[in-house]
Amino acid sequence: PMHGYGWEAANWLQRPLQIMAAQTLIAYVVEHYGRGELGVLLAALSQHSDWETLVPVVFDHPASELEAGWQVYLGEYYESIR
């Protein structure tokens, strides 16, 4: 299980939303950091217990900065498909 990432508490109703969130995060990472960084992120998941320690190691900035960029990306993405 991916403890610390919210997966362990998910029930079957939450799982589709978590999958959608993961898909958009992957798309954001690939678009803004490159496909190579996605591999680094995935490899580092098992090495960290939470997002706050994982993101700085992989992307060299705080998780809050990645999350802010991801939120902008989501807004632009969903605006483009309306």
Side-chain angles (χ1 to χ4, degrees), residues 4 10 12 14 16 28 34 37 39 47 53 55 59 68 73:
W12 67 276
Q14 295 170 319
Y28 172 73
E37 289 302 301
Q47 313 267 320
T53 63
V55 172
F59 300 108
Y73 173 82

Side-chain angles (χ1 to χ4, degrees), residues 8 10 12 20 23 47 51 54 58 67-69 74 78 82:
E8 68 278 355
W12 67 276
M20 286 174 53
Q23 289 171 331
Q47 313 267 320
W51 193 242
L54 172 69
V58 175
E67 291 168 3
L74 288 173
Y78 285 109
R82 276 197 328 160

